[in-house]
């Protein structure tokens, strides 16, 4: 079931990053009760919130859905993107 995998992957990623549910909720602008409701009632968050969760955790939505780690090329691409952004800011 996609829902169960998604929420389990979110919870696993929170643990991996040593981030609390409260910190995540604060960063995406939702209440902790809302988040915990999705976990306990097995209700999937709306797509826009799922996207915000992925951004807050700095991983792709694909990764949260599949539970698979990102491809090494994706990580390198993200590093290059950050480097380019830093260069542009200096200009």
């Amino acid at each position: 079931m996609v829902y169960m995998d998604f929420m389990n992957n979110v919870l696993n990623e929170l643990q991996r990053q040593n981030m609390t549910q409260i910190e995540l909720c604060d960063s995406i602008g939702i209440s902790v009760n809302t988040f915990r409701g999705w976990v306990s009632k097995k209700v999937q968050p709306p797509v826009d919130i799922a996207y915000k969760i992925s951004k807050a955790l700095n991983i792709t939505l694909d990764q949260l859905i599949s539970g698979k780690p990102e491809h090494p090329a994706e990580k390198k691409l993200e590093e290059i993107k950050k480097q380019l952004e830093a260069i542009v800011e200096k200009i």
Side-chain angles (χ1 to χ4, degrees):
M1 177 184 285
V2 172
Y3 158 76
M4 292 294 286
D5 292 340
F6 179 82
M7 290 310 293
N8 284 337
N9 293 338
V10 169
L11 294 173
N12 289 338
E13 190 62 26
L14 284 172
Q15 185 176 26
R16 189 184 77 72
Q17 294 188 24
N18 293 320
M19 182 184 278
T20 67
Q21 291 178 9
I22 294 169
E23 291 170 326
L24 174 65
C25 293
D26 286 346
S27 72
I28 62 172
I30 62 168
S31 74
V32 175
N33 288 338
T34 298
F35 181 87
R36 290 180 180 159
W38 295 328
V39 174
S40 67
K41 296 177 186 172
K42 300 184 168 112
V43 177
Q44 189 167 349
V47 173
D48 62 322
I49 299 296
Y51 179 77
K52 288 180 181 181
I53 291 171
S54 74
K55 290 300 180 190
L57 295 174
N58 199 30
I59 62 175
T60 67
L61 194 51
D62 270 355
Q63 289 172 266
L64 280 179
I65 293 169
S66 70
K68 296 178 184 174
E70 71 182 338
H71 189 277
E74 289 179 40
K75 188 171 187 168
K76 186 66 176 173
L77 184 61
E78 191 61 34
E79 289 173 12
I80 292 169
K81 181 181 172 186
K82 287 179 182 178
Q83 290 172 353
L84 287 172
E85 288 172 352
I87 291 169
V88 169
E89 286 179 13
K90 291 180 182 179
I91 297 177

